[in-house]
Amino acid sequence: MTDAVLLVGTRKGLFIGRRRGGAPWEFDGPHFNAQAVYAVAVDRRGPAPRLLVGGDSSHWGPSVFSSDDLGATWREPAAPAVRFPQDTGASLERVWQLHPAGPEAPGVVYAGTEPAALFRSTDRGDSFELVRPLWEHPSRGKWVPGGGGEGLHTVITDPRDPDAVTVAVSTAGVFRTRDGGASWAPSNEGVSAVFLPDPHPEFGQCVHKIAQDAADTDRLYLQNHWGVYRSDDAGGRWTDIGGGLPSDFGFAVAAHPHRPDTAYVFPLNADSDRVPAEHRCRVFRTRDAGATWEPLARGLPAGDHYGTVLRDALCTDDADPAGIYFGNRNGELYASHDDGDSWQLLAEHLPDVLCVRAATFGQ
């Protein structure tokens, strides 16, 4: 069986990397040629791993595809898997996120979309239903699209409680439910919105990504439009932890799959200069929940570098030591197989990398 799979969504299709043991990675693709792939996921809960892809065809529009044979063949539902009900007056622009829930919610997959909405599937992604209470939230009329659109781009589930879900929207901020989606509350206390007259509103923050700590599911890491934050109470309150970084602007954040208090970010210079901080290709790691940060650059380009890493283009697998992966808008794909201590180039000259996901099997 394939030991590891790496899904790389790009502006012009999906590339799949497979690795057996310590052998080199082998890539194929593009699957979904000429489609922008903004969302990918690996669901390992069924009898066979399922790959999920959110594709966006400029001719046919957006769709969700699935594969139960690691990408050898693909299925697309006869009817659109994600579709806004007619009474909403909305139409799907793209799928920003596909998130399989954990064993606590068998069959459940969430989809985050543009316009910003949450959809829920109970059949592993074959069909989805709009979560109306979030769509009809009283604050929705005041949500403002970010520079990349109004997208729900992050879904975090709680392995202890299938009714606890946290989402992030650009630019509405963080919202939480504790009753299975029947009600939602903004959860942005402590997160700054420097671009607004009131920099600390109840909602309206431009949250770029959230990751969940491996050991403490109430501990979350958040990369904001400006600022890197941590919550120790599942998003109830956020604390700034970006002081040790060369810049606290960026898009991506990921957590180590096993080590507590360990997370990774890829800082960019500024919102007006979206290139690697100080023009250096570096991932930064914290091993003390943000008290300190260390640059990880061994094996990465040493000279001036301009490859921007987007919000879903940094991920970890579940190996130990962990594999850490990122792709950039230069079309470069890098991997570390030792928790980030050293890196290697896996692929180059790809289209813009929009998202990456990795998983291991059969170990």
Side-chain angles (χ1 to χ4, degrees):
M1 189 177 187
T2 301
D3 287 324
V5 64
L6 177 61
L7 306 182
V8 185
T10 77
R11 189 77 64 182
K12 295 186 177 182
L14 172 75
F15 296 82
I16 302 179
R18 300 176 183 85
R19 188 183 194 215
R20 295 183 181 275
W25 286 92
E26 296 181 359
F27 284 85
D28 62 50
H31 304 254
F32 315 108
N33 186 40
Q35 293 197 39
V37 176
Y38 283 85
V40 290
V42 183
D43 185 355
R44 302 189 303 171
R45 295 170 299 173
R50 173 167 289 189
L51 309 185
L52 293 165
V53 170
D56 185 4
S57 166
S58 59
H59 182 75
W60 299 108
S63 189
V64 175
F65 305 88
S66 64
S67 172
D68 291 332
D69 52 18
L70 294 179
T73 60
W74 295 92
R75 293 187 311 278
E76 181 181 14
V82 177
R83 177 169 52 185
F84 281 91
Q86 186 173 1
D87 67 285
T88 64
S91 60
L92 180 66
E93 292 289 330
R94 64 176 51 95
V95 175
W96 276 102
Q97 185 79 169
L98 290 164
H99 175 79
E104 77 283 354
V108 173
V109 177
Y110 289 98
T113 68
E114 180 185 349
L118 182 67
F119 288 78
R120 186 176 186 269
S121 169
T122 57
D123 54 16
R124 297 188 73 199
D126 289 334
S127 62
F128 290 83
E129 183 177 352
L130 176 66
V131 179
R132 280 188 175 269
L134 182 61
W135 177 256
E136 296 169 355
H137 194 273
S139 67
R140 171 172 289 276
K142 297 180 181 179
W143 296 4
V144 178
E150 186 190 84
L152 192 154
H153 53 70
T154 299
V155 181
I156 303 289
T157 48
D158 190 331
R160 303 163 302 183
D161 182 359
D163 290 333
V165 182
T166 300
V167 301
V169 177
S170 179
T171 56
V174 180
F175 287 77
R176 297 190 298 170
T177 181
R178 294 298 178 263
D179 53 18
S183 63
W184 295 82
S187 298
N188 302 288
E189 185 179 351
V191 179
S192 176
V194 297
F195 44 84
L196 295 178
D198 174 7
H200 295 284
E202 183 183 20
F203 61 88
Q205 287 82 352
C206 189
V207 174
H208 285 170
K209 198 64 187 173
I210 305 174
Q212 188 176 57
D213 189 80
D216 182 355
T217 52
D218 285 334
R219 174 162 287 175
L220 304 175
Y221 305 97
L222 183 154
Q223 173 68 68
N224 201 44
H225 186 91
W226 279 111
V228 179
Y229 297 88
R230 187 190 76 228
S231 174
D232 296 325
D233 56 5
R237 169 75 187 176
W238 299 90
T239 301
D240 190 340
I241 58 171
L245 294 166
S247 168
D248 62 2
F249 182 85
F251 288 103
V253 61
H256 194 285
H258 308 295
R259 310 259 189 275
D261 304 335
T262 303
Y264 304 84
V265 295
F266 192 99
L268 304 179
N269 262 349
D271 52 0
S272 59
D273 188 20
R274 299 183 180 197
V275 298
E278 301 171 344
H279 299 168
R280 298 177 62 188
C281 186
R282 296 171 296 177
V283 175
F284 279 74
R285 176 178 62 195
T286 180
R287 292 190 280 193
D288 51 18
T292 60
W293 296 89
E294 58 182 321
L296 307 174
R298 183 153 58 99
L300 296 176
D304 284 354
H305 200 266
Y306 299 91
T308 301
V309 176
L310 299 177
R311 73 176 87 243
D312 263 321
L314 169 68
C315 78
T316 67
D317 63 21
D318 44 11
D320 194 3
I324 319 295
Y325 308 86
F326 72 90
N328 60 33
R329 300 198 68 180
N330 289 3
E332 298 163 345
L333 178 67
Y334 294 94
S336 168
H337 298 299
D338 54 12
D339 292 344
D341 290 338
S342 63
W343 300 86
Q344 61 177 330
L345 178 69
L346 296 188
E348 57 186 335
H349 309 306
L350 299 174
D352 287 11
V353 176
L354 305 177
C355 55
V356 292
R357 286 292 184 274
T360 57
F361 309 101
Q363 295 190 354

